[in-house]
Amino acid sequence: MVKIELTGDGGDKDMRVPFPAKGRKRDDILAEMRGMKAGDADWQHGRTPLYVFKATQEAYDMGRDAFFEFFTENALGAKRAFTSVKRMEDEVVQGALDLLHAPDDAGGFMTTGGTESIIQAVQTCRDWSRARRRDAAHRGNIVVSESAHPAFNKAANLMDLQVRRIPTAPDLRADVAAMEAAIDRDTIMLVGSAPSFPHGVIDPIAALGAVAQRRDVWLHVDACVGGYVAPFVKELGYDVPDFDLGVAGVSSLSADLHKFGFCPKPASTVFYASADKARHHGFEFTDWPNGRFATSTIVGTRPAGGVAAAWAMFQHLGRPGYRDIAARLMAMVDRYKEGVERVPGLKVCGKPHLSIVAFGADTVDVFRVSEVMAAKGWVPGLVQKPRAIHRMMSLIHADSMDEYLDDLRAAVGVVRQEVGSTAKIQATY
Ligand SMILES: Cc1ncc(COP(=O)(O)O)c(C=O)c1O
């Protein structure tokens, strides 16, 4: 059996730590925790290629304060006990529907992350498809580009669906014709990404929408990364293809607040283009002693802080604030791409639309370059196809940009001089 290393698996079984025999002072505990952090990657200075997102310090403080204002409340009780949380959740969803050009009949929900949004969109699509086909017995399949996030496989594993991963076109975007050719009578969903995680390119959503309409299948747009930044990048005049709920043929869309919405974790959203589809989202059960149990998330209890902070962030930044951050972000990305390509031999993969950029090289092994960079504290971000160095950047990467590019140039120089060294590192998300 494959041994999978999982966070939270309890660690090394030979080094069991006993349950604390007595309590300790708060200050000692906090000091120990801060000490533990000393060994972590220095995300504040852009050393992590993913995991952490930040806009301005002011926005960060707003999110943190709003989160702790609702630290104790439970969003599970939003309808019955915490009307404040219900109002904020509704307003986040409505604001996002407006931003994403949703039809009047559209609906949406907050969730705790991109994976949960995707799992729920797949479940909603499956149940909608079953209701229409009236043959619940068939095993549905989902046609995705190979660059789609593994969350679609996770969803399919949970629901016993099949995933068909189709190689990308030469420009690293979804190959629409090949995806259409993979559709059969059991296909329930097509997926496009805006943008894809590996290459940062926005798939041709309008063309996928046309296929979805012609072949009568559901199109999900995974805008977990781009949902809350691409609209503003587009407004600034950058080349951003249409990708949102205004595109004909799009049935659902996931967009993460805790990525480029710059909201504290956990917070994401999932939307449906019509009420007829949205009504299959959610879970309801009454056949137990406590009566009606209805939730719109996979999890039950969930932090109201995530809802409150997302609401506060929309209020704080508004359209001008998000546009301003998008402008600063894209200026930084342009500087990054230029800096990378100024290093002889390095080339950006495809034409990334937002702030995920991958670059490769023909004459040096970039995995080996990444190992040399890792020794200087830059946590590796790698793509295995094509072999590339990968970063999903926010404004935390701005201040250390020159240092990164200097270290990159030096690392490429080191690797060019090496004889017989081969990279041991593997691409790991
Ligand atoms: C394109 C895309 N979709 C979905 C996800 C999953 O999001 P989460 O980690 O919030 O579950 C990610 C995460 O990076 C992503 O890049």
Side-chain angles (χ1 to χ4, degrees):
M1 215 172 102
V2 185
K3 182 173 179 322
I4 306 178
E5 282 175 34
L6 298 172
T7 318
D9 69 353
D12 190 339
K13 304 286 182 289
D14 299 331
M15 309 225 333
R16 287 269 190 222
V17 173
F19 191 86
K22 55 187 177 69
R24 292 163 63 195
K25 287 207 174 68
R26 169 199 146 88
D27 287 352
D28 293 350
I29 296 165
L30 289 173
E32 183 175 342
M33 288 165 71
R34 286 175 190 139
M36 285 194 270
K37 273 193 184 200
D40 288 352
D42 184 7
W43 65 264
Q44 286 90 340
H45 300 103
R47 301 269 163 172
T48 47
L50 71 166
Y51 307 132
V52 178
F53 305 82
K54 193 172 162 185
T56 59
Q57 187 60 37
E58 209 189 350
Y60 178 86
D61 292 340
M62 175 78 261
R64 198 180 155 110
D65 289 349
F67 191 98
F68 285 112
E69 197 65 36
F70 281 80
F71 176 66
T72 313
E73 285 81 355
N74 185 345
L76 173 65
K79 277 209 178 90
R80 299 186 59 241
F82 310 115
T83 49
S84 54
V85 179
K86 159 107 178 72
R87 179 185 146 191
M88 290 188 285
E89 189 157 6
D90 287 347
E91 290 186 11
V92 167
V93 168
Q94 286 164 21
L97 286 170
D98 176 39
L99 180 71
L100 297 166
H101 304 108
D104 291 346
D105 195 25
F109 304 87
M110 277 191 76
T111 71
T112 57
T115 301
E116 189 177 33
S117 289
I118 288 169
I119 292 173
Q120 291 201 273
V122 171
Q123 170 258 308
T124 304
C125 164
R126 183 202 59 180
D127 293 351
W128 175 81
S129 307
R130 278 186 181 170
R132 285 200 324 156
R133 296 170 58 127
R134 296 194 185 83
D135 62 343
H138 85 285
R139 186 180 184 218
N141 67 63
I142 306 175
V143 176
V144 309
S145 173
E146 68 180 345
S147 58
H149 193 272
F152 293 95
N153 287 72
K154 197 182 254 191
N157 286 356
L158 287 167
M159 288 173 246
D160 193 26
L161 303 167
Q162 188 199 38
V163 178
R164 298 181 174 171
R165 284 192 174 258
I166 310 301
T168 57
D171 65 359
L172 302 173
R173 302 170 79 201
D175 184 335
V176 179
M179 284 177 69
E180 179 165 17
I183 296 174
D184 64 15
R185 63 174 297 283
D186 286 338
T187 301
I188 58 168
M189 182 185 259
L190 276 181
V191 174
S193 303
S196 72
F197 182 76
H199 313 118
V201 291
I202 297 180
D203 287 332
I205 302 301
L208 286 170
V211 173
Q213 286 180 303
R214 192 162 60 240
R215 303 295 295 270
D216 195 22
V217 291
W218 178 298
L219 171 62
H220 179 82
V221 177
D222 178 7
C224 282
V225 170
Y228 293 104
V229 67
F232 301 105
V233 175
K234 193 176 173 76
E235 267 179 40
L236 292 166
Y238 284 86
D239 165 35
V240 174
D242 291 341
F243 72 94
D244 65 14
L245 292 157
V247 175
V250 173
S251 287
S252 59
L253 181 145
S254 47
D256 287 354
L257 293 155
H258 65 201
K259 293 194 172 76
F260 291 94
F262 302 109
C263 304
K265 305 169 194 62
S268 174
T269 41
V270 59
F271 306 103
Y272 302 97
S274 70
D276 165 50
K277 288 172 173 149
R279 79 188 165 83
H280 293 277
H281 176 109
F283 177 80
E284 196 172 332
F285 186 74
T286 41
D287 197 11
W288 73 313
N290 279 71
R292 185 166 180 264
F293 176 90
T295 55
S296 57
T297 45
I298 295 173
V299 296
T301 290
R302 68 195 157 98
V307 176
W311 184 84
M313 197 61 76
F314 279 13
Q315 300 298 317
H316 179 63
L317 293 175
R319 283 181 183 265
Y322 275 108
R323 201 180 306 123
D324 181 49
I325 291 164
R328 289 170 58 188
L329 185 65
M330 293 311 289
M332 181 193 81
V333 170
D334 288 344
R335 194 154 74 83
Y336 179 68
K337 288 191 283 199
E338 275 168 34
V340 164
E341 294 205 331
R342 241 182 275 129
V343 180
L346 300 188
K347 181 140 186 47
V348 170
C349 304
K351 289 207 165 76
H353 289 105
L354 303 170
S355 68
I356 290 180
V357 177
F359 62 86
D362 292 335
T363 52
V364 281
D365 180 7
V366 283
F367 278 30
R368 185 66 203 119
V369 171
S370 182
E371 285 179 342
V372 176
M373 297 281 283
K376 293 201 167 173
W378 301 103
V379 176
L382 297 169
V383 180
Q384 60 185 359
K385 189 182 171 193
R387 228 166 147 82
I389 290 181
H390 180 273
R391 291 172 101 202
M392 172 158 63
M393 291 171 287
S394 66
L395 294 180
I396 49 169
H397 295 94
D399 286 348
S400 55
M401 181 65 69
D402 291 336
E403 190 188 350
Y404 180 90
L405 292 170
D406 287 348
D407 284 351
L408 177 64
R409 179 180 287 274
V412 170
V414 167
V415 175
R416 281 200 200 286
Q417 299 301 312
E418 286 179 343
V419 190
S421 296
T422 48
K424 293 182 189 60
I425 200 168
Q426 286 182 344
T428 308
Y429 182 94

